[in-house]
Amino acid sequence: MKIGVIRFPGTNCDRDVAKAIELAGATPEYVWWNEENLSDFDGIVIPGGFSYGDYLRAGAMASITPVIDGINELVKEEKPVLGICNGAQILGEIGLVPGVFITNENPKFNCEWVDLKVGTTRTPFTKNFKKGETVQIPIAHAEGRFYTEDIDLLKDQDQIVLQFKDKNPNGSLEAITSVCDESGLVCAMMPHPERACESILGSTDGLNFFKGFL
């Protein structure tokens, strides 16, 4: 399995994600923002960071780059796409997942370990978990508060992937911190699973998200 790792100016979690993909048993390959043909890849990860310095709005400038056309084509081919943190914001900007990720309720950068509840196992990224299972993964964001006007639709279509369990550190609607599209193949998550892939880091719960590509 060859998984593309998208790089924008300001991306800073690309190497962490590539390492996590290798640990999961797949082959990562970096893809720059100006590449449009992604047909050789079996899946895509859009890593975290601060694409284009988060100017205008997090993910806004990245959303109009050539690589987005390639990602849209992969989605049409029913290949999995995972957006992490800034990647989640980008997926929201281009409308591949419902809702948006806006400034935290307490408008400061928030970096801490959190307990998360798995809301659905119908995505490739959560198929190795049990519904309702608790996982430990860190967050690191200033614009991670999830909001949508269609919360009932998300519930009806089983699109809530992860929720904060014991506390809601950024004020997200119903503590939601990860959602997917209707197919389940496109997933946006604010927590950083690549930072929880080895026991030395404090948790291996994040590795299963990457094993979902296999």
Side-chain angles (χ1 to χ4, degrees), residues 159-174:
Q159 292 179 258
I160 299 173
V161 179
L162 295 171
Q163 290 172 283
F164 295 116
K165 186 178 179 184
D166 298 320
K167 62 178 180 177
N168 188 346
N170 59 20
S172 286
L173 178 66
E174 299 204 13

Side-chain angles (χ1 to χ4, degrees), residues 48-159:
F50 304 91
S51 58
Y52 299 95
D54 280 350
Y55 289 115
L56 300 181
R57 184 175 58 250
M61 295 180 70
S63 72
I64 57 172
T65 55
V67 76
I68 299 301
D69 292 332
I71 292 172
N72 282 321
E73 287 301 313
L74 278 191
V75 171
K76 291 177 183 177
E77 296 173 19
E78 299 184 345
K79 294 182 179 179
V81 175
L82 177 64
I84 301 169
C85 201
N86 193 227
Q89 295 160 343
I90 293 168
L91 289 178
E93 282 286 329
I94 63 179
L96 284 181
V97 296
V100 292
F101 294 91
I102 58 178
T103 303
N104 295 348
E105 191 171 49
N106 182 357
K108 293 182 179 180
F109 184 79
N110 188 349
C111 182
E112 61 179 299
W113 282 85
V114 293
D115 287 337
L116 305 167
K117 181 178 72 173
V118 177
T120 182
T121 58
R122 71 181 188 88
T123 80
F125 311 107
T126 55
K127 67 182 182 183
N128 294 314
F129 297 105
K130 295 178 181 178
K131 186 170 182 177
E133 183 176 349
T134 299
V135 296
Q136 269 199 332
I137 297 176
I139 56 171
H141 58 254
E143 297 178 55
R145 178 163 52 122
F146 179 78
Y147 178 77
T148 180
E149 295 182 348
D150 299 313
I151 185 64
D152 291 334
L153 185 63
L154 259 64
K155 293 177 179 179
D156 292 342
Q157 297 182 162
D158 196 21
Q159 292 179 258

Side-chain angles (χ1 to χ4, degrees), residues 1-8 17 21 27-32 35-47 67-68 70-75 78-84 87 91 96 124-125 185-187 209-210 213:
M1 299 286 288
K2 186 167 72 168
I3 308 302
V5 180
I6 309 299
R7 280 175 156 173
F8 298 99
V17 164
I21 291 170
T27 302
E29 183 174 313
Y30 297 122
V31 181
W32 285 103
E35 297 183 43
E36 196 168 336
N37 184 0
L38 307 181
S39 58
D40 288 341
F41 294 99
D42 299 298
I44 289 292
V45 180
I46 311 175
V67 76
I68 299 301
I71 292 172
N72 282 321
E73 287 301 313
L74 278 191
V75 171
E78 299 184 345
K79 294 182 179 179
V81 175
L82 177 64
I84 301 169
L91 289 178
L96 284 181
F125 311 107
L185 290 173
V186 182
C187 181
F209 288 89
F210 297 98
F213 281 110

